[in-house]
Amino acid sequence: QVQLVESGGGLVQAGGSLRLSCAASGRTFSMNFMGWFRQAPGKEREFVAAISWSAGSTSHADSVKGRFTISRDKSKNTVYLQMNSLKPENTAVYYCAATRAYGLVTSIKSTLDFDSWGQGTQVTVSS
């Protein structure tokens, strides 16, 4: 089992930036991918980005390409989500996730692919 703790959320004005962090502990040796999802009020949880733990290969949702960047620091067991040029529509609870699943990073983008989840951190973007 992997434990995940997110941090870095908060209130930011449109056009601003935030950097989310997710610290992993426990059976981190079993992680193959880590990712970020978000869920806005009344919406389903949706994929944002994923990264392979070993090689650092990344995948980003089309809606955030060019603005959001996922990365990881293996020495700190931490994954990050750098969010730039934030828009009010990006307001959501952002969740960190990890999985033992195998495959290409481009195929790991469903909530069903992940088996460990953080509690989420609120990101609110004002107009």
Side-chain angles (χ1 to χ4, degrees), residues 1-4 24-34 53 77 98-100 115-116:
Q1 185 65 42
V2 176
Q3 291 77 51
L4 304 172
S25 61
R27 298 180 62 188
T28 57
F29 61 87
S30 67
M31 298 191 306
N32 292 130
F33 299 92
M34 294 187 70
W53 192 247
N77 287 136
T99 182
R100 297 168 290 176
D115 46 35
S116 296

Side-chain angles (χ1 to χ4, degrees), residues 83-96:
M83 304 185 294
N84 299 326
S85 301
L86 282 162
K87 307 173 182 178
E89 65 194 67
N90 299 145
T91 294
V93 176
Y94 283 71
Y95 297 91
C96 177

